[in-house]
Amino acid sequence: MSYIVDSHWVKDQIERLGENLVLADCRFVLGQSESGRNAYAESHLPGAIYVDLEKDLSAPVGEHGGRHPLPDPQLLADRLGQLGIRSSSTVVAYDDQGGAMASRLWWVLHYLGHDKVSVLNGGFAQWVKDGYETTKVIPDPTPRTYVPQIREGLLLHAEDVKARLHRPGTILVDSREPKRYLGLEEPIDKAAGHIPGAVNLFWKEVLTTQGLWKNEEDLKGHFAQLPSDREIVVYCGSGVTACPNVLALKSAGFANVKLYAGSWSDWISYGENPVAIGEE
């Protein structure tokens, strides 16, 4: 199953799979926590459930863990089950934020051992543009039992990243926009800069100018500076917009890709951690 699917494919699956297909509306705007849910209430794909970045896919913010800490895996699994997702479900996630929020759900499910999960190319806007129906009807999903099969090697914590600093076999990828990576500005977190040794690959560059995901060959070109035989560790501000870079790297054929889920907001919560400013 492809990581990226188009509206036509999703339409066919709605008719073919029925309740075995779960459409997940992940629209969410940082700093406007109800905007995505409100947009969902106004119009969404038929049968789609709403998955909230902060209420469903993040734990409460603490001293460490960043601005969107990952919940305990079993709590995640329990919540997915409550939303009507089971281990055998085919899941298609979508948003209207370039795939950033949908990719968070894609990564979470991938981490929990789920293979049949994809992101809708172009999101909700593309679905509408392609002429497919939407609805205001909010489904009442049947609770399921979700049995996680954790892929431990996909997730790193601050101590893991610190142990890898300047290690020849590892490349750190900072997914934030260049001004934040360089430390020229920091509108969200308490300190500016980046993790020493990281290269900057802004996550939005995996999209075309039309807002669609680049194809496999174009993604390979985009990531050409990264050796395919290295361990790639991806981070962003809080572990959300790193996920589309992870998805894109996997789509481009990189096998050893890991997420630092706490990301920059977690890194700087440890006062002893080093910080770099400017170009590497």
Side-chain angles (χ1 to χ4, degrees):
M1 183 171 174
S2 175
Y3 294 142
I4 306 295
V5 295
D6 62 26
S7 299
H8 314 295
W9 184 90
V10 174
K11 177 62 174 176
D12 289 342
Q13 300 310 304
I14 290 175
E15 298 171 353
R16 190 171 71 86
L17 294 179
E19 67 174 14
N20 290 323
L21 174 69
V22 177
L23 302 177
D25 189 315
C26 301
R27 285 177 286 178
F28 189 94
V29 178
L30 295 174
Q32 303 174 39
S33 59
E34 292 302 314
S35 63
R37 190 178 296 275
N38 292 338
Y40 168 78
E42 181 64 28
S43 182
H44 52 266
L45 272 63
I49 59 171
Y50 184 71
V51 181
D52 191 296
L53 168 66
E54 294 184 342
K55 296 177 181 177
D56 299 321
L57 301 180
S58 303
V61 175
E63 181 182 3
H64 302 298
R67 286 183 279 107
H68 294 104
L70 277 182
D72 173 84
Q74 188 57 56
L75 292 178
L76 265 176
D78 291 345
R79 181 57 186 147
L80 293 170
Q82 292 167 8
L83 291 168
I85 302 174
R86 53 188 167 192
S87 305
S88 60
S89 298
T90 296
V91 180
V92 177
Y94 69 88
D95 59 32
D96 244 356
Q97 286 72 44
M101 310 303 161
S103 294
R104 168 77 165 211
L105 178 58
W106 171 85
W107 186 89
V108 162
L109 285 168
H110 194 59
Y111 169 62
L112 294 180
H114 206 113
D115 288 319
K116 294 187 292 184
V117 54
S118 300
V119 171
L120 174 60
N121 199 4
F124 181 77
Q126 188 63 40
W127 177 267
V128 173
K129 183 178 180 180
D130 288 337
Y132 294 119
E133 69 173 309
T134 61
T135 183
K136 288 187 176 183
V137 178
I138 297 178
D140 184 17
T142 301
R144 309 290 186 182
T145 298
Y146 191 98
V147 181
Q149 301 289 332
I150 307 299
R151 292 174 168 135
E152 298 285 357
L154 301 184
L155 173 65
L156 296 183
H157 302 285
E159 62 271 19
D160 304 314
V161 175
K162 195 170 184 178
R164 286 166 165 77
L165 290 183
H166 306 296
R167 193 169 78 176
T170 298
I171 298 175
L172 291 174
V173 172
D174 187 314
S175 304
R176 297 171 301 162
E177 58 186 324
K179 286 184 178 181
R180 294 181 67 194
Y181 166 82
L182 293 170
L184 298 177
E185 64 178 42
E186 183 46 67
I188 303 174
D189 292 312
K190 295 178 180 179
H194 60 268
I195 300 175
V199 299
N200 184 214
L201 289 169
F202 185 31
W203 75 271
K204 286 189 177 181
E205 293 175 354
V206 304
L207 305 175
T208 68
T209 55
Q210 291 76 37
L212 300 175
W213 292 79
K214 291 179 178 178
N215 62 37
E216 181 180 328
E217 288 306 310
D218 287 342
L219 287 174
K220 286 180 179 179
H222 174 63
F223 294 122
Q225 66 177 285
L226 305 178
S228 60
D229 60 345
R230 303 285 180 88
E231 175 190 57
I232 310 296
V233 177
V234 188
Y235 75 93
C236 58
S238 67
V240 177
T241 57
C243 293
N245 256 348
V246 174
L247 191 158
L249 282 159
K250 297 291 288 183
S251 296
F254 288 80
N256 191 6
V257 184
K258 298 175 180 177
L259 175 69
Y260 173 23
S263 288
W264 180 248
S265 53
D266 175 60
W267 182 261
I268 60 174
S269 71
Y270 297 91
E272 71 277 14
N273 281 350
V275 168
I277 300 289
E279 297 280 2
E280 285 286 332

